[in-house]
Amino acid sequence: DLKLDHHSEDRLTIVEVEGEIDVYTAPRLRELLIDLVNKGNFHLLVNMEKVDFLDSTGLGVLVGGLKRVRAHDGSLELVCTQERILKIFRITGLTKVFGIYASVEEAKEAHGRDK
């Protein structure tokens, strides 16, 4: 199952994701990301600390979200410390594409410096 939530802090919209992001649940995450961008949220931080599983469909949704925000000079960054999920990003080379942080606080500090 997948739980999704989001809230805004400063100019950053934090998306809390919990559960499994797979071929069955990824469309819900895609819809949320599209909805947020359509409402003018172009700086997204996806907190994946409580994500148990991520497959290629989930990766595709994250990459699609990144393309969407970049079209508005935005950003989509991730919070992830789980080795098995980080390994997926390393293997696919996506560590070079996404900013990946150890905590929401770290990401917010980095975002603050980028303004």
Side-chain angles (χ1 to χ4, degrees):
D1 200 28
L2 185 69
K3 289 186 192 153
L4 297 171
D5 198 12
H6 68 278
H7 62 278
S8 293
E9 294 182 29
D10 300 325
R11 290 178 33 230
L12 195 59
T13 301
I14 300 171
V15 180
E16 301 285 347
V17 186
E18 183 177 340
E20 300 185 354
I21 308 174
D22 59 24
V23 68
Y24 302 106
T25 60
R28 288 180 42 216
L29 179 58
R30 179 184 292 119
E31 285 170 21
L32 176 60
L33 295 177
I34 290 170
D35 189 47
L36 289 171
V37 172
N38 287 345
K39 290 179 178 166
N41 301 287
F42 304 134
H43 294 282
L44 305 179
L45 176 63
V46 179
N47 185 355
M48 299 178 59
E49 281 298 275
K50 294 181 181 169
V51 171
D52 305 319
F53 179 81
L54 177 70
D55 73 1
S56 59
T57 311
L59 277 179
V61 167
L62 292 171
V63 170
L66 181 65
K67 288 179 179 170
R68 220 171 278 281
V69 295
R70 282 194 172 162
H72 301 277
D73 292 324
S75 61
L76 190 153
E77 297 170 322
L78 310 171
V79 173
C80 183
T81 56
Q82 294 183 58
E83 192 50 44
R84 66 181 179 279
I85 293 182
L86 286 170
K87 189 175 180 183
I88 296 167
F89 286 101
R90 280 197 290 273
I91 290 169
T92 55
L94 290 173
T95 51
K96 296 177 182 73
V97 178
F98 289 102
I100 301 178
Y101 298 95
S103 69
V104 170
E105 290 308 312
E106 184 184 302
K108 283 174 18 187
E109 282 176 27
H111 193 264
R113 285 194 298 271
D114 293 343
K115 284 183 192 170

